[in-house]
Amino acid sequence: MGNFRVVRAVNYLRGGGLLAYPTEAVWGLGCDPFSEAAVMQLLTLKKRRRDMGLIMIAASMAQLELFLAGIPASDRQRLAASWPGPQTWLVPNNGCAPSWVTGGRETLALRVTNHPVAAALCRAYGGPLISTSANPHGFRPAMSLLKLNLYFHGQLDYVLPGSLGGLTSPTPIKNLKTGEVIRGS
């Protein structure tokens, strides 16, 4: 994948745009997590309730440091042992994430991705991004460009090309404090 495509995607993100990109298992939709207007547009596009919360992905734990402040060393070690990789964790919301990302919840969903395209996008952007499955709420996630286009043709600012990472279902989600599996693999 050409670097110019990542730069183009970053320009759309910085302008408040919505984009699609491949992830570990499905096509993802993303935007700037600190842009309330972009996140609201994404939620409207997906027909997803605001109180459900969203996942943020990053290229490294350092990009998530703001949201990891206050997490004990033992819990940080558990995160570091699973990242980068296809594991999403619900961590305690320390108040640094906007309410439109957390859905007003006491937890925040985070993942350090090992998908080369998604990680390159986060690195070029210089921070975490919203990452939610590319599908209207209640429909199966897009696992092909054809399905992505069927769902959202003409409604996204940019589609960053690439291949899915090979998982057959969206990444598992676990609660860091309780160990509860929220979404299995």
Side-chain angles (χ1 to χ4, degrees), residues 123-154:
R123 273 192 301 279
Y125 187 65
L129 299 170
I130 294 296
S131 186
T132 183
S133 59
N135 58 287
H137 185 70
F139 287 74
R140 295 189 50 77
M143 296 186 75
S144 69
L145 278 173
L146 175 62
K147 184 62 90 172
L148 176 72
N149 285 322
L150 285 172
Y151 287 154
F152 302 115
H153 181 73

Side-chain angles (χ1 to χ4, degrees):
M1 174 185 55
N3 188 41
F4 74 93
R5 290 183 171 147
V6 173
V7 170
R8 187 170 183 196
V10 166
N11 287 336
Y12 281 112
L13 289 168
R14 292 208 169 113
L18 303 181
L19 52 102
Y21 50 88
T23 70
E24 292 89 344
V26 300
W27 279 88
L29 298 177
C31 65
D32 176 353
F34 293 102
S35 170
E36 183 176 11
V39 172
M40 292 300 112
Q41 184 181 0
L42 181 69
L43 293 173
T44 299
L45 182 67
K46 281 187 56 107
K47 298 175 178 64
R48 182 180 167 115
R49 293 188 339 258
R50 181 179 178 158
D51 65 348
M52 294 179 73
L54 293 162
I55 296 172
M56 282 197 294
I57 62 167
S60 67
M61 279 184 70
Q63 288 188 330
L64 298 174
E65 190 55 40
L66 174 68
F67 311 107
L68 299 176
I71 292 179
S74 59
D75 287 341
R76 282 175 173 265
Q77 289 172 347
R78 189 166 3 145
L79 295 173
S82 69
W83 287 342
Q87 177 65 57
T88 300
W89 289 97
L90 291 182
V91 302
N93 178 7
N94 65 9
C96 292
S99 62
W100 54 83
V101 173
T102 66
R105 296 170 182 245
E106 295 181 6
T107 56
L108 174 64
L110 301 174
R111 179 170 78 249
V112 175
T113 183
N114 64 354
H115 189 279
V117 174
L121 182 59
C122 290
R123 273 192 301 279
Y125 187 65
L129 299 170
I130 294 296
S131 186
T132 183
S133 59
N135 58 287
H137 185 70
F139 287 74
R140 295 189 50 77
M143 296 186 75
S144 69
L145 278 173
L146 175 62
K147 184 62 90 172
L148 176 72
N149 285 322
L150 285 172
Y151 287 154
F152 302 115
H153 181 73
Q155 299 177 75
L156 299 170
D157 295 299
Y158 191 65
V159 176
L160 187 59
S163 299
L164 299 181
L167 293 183
T168 57
S169 59
T171 61
I173 300 174
K174 277 179 134 176
N175 186 304
L176 183 64
K177 288 293 180 200
T178 66
E180 177 188 5
V181 176
I182 308 303
R183 180 174 72 193
S185 53

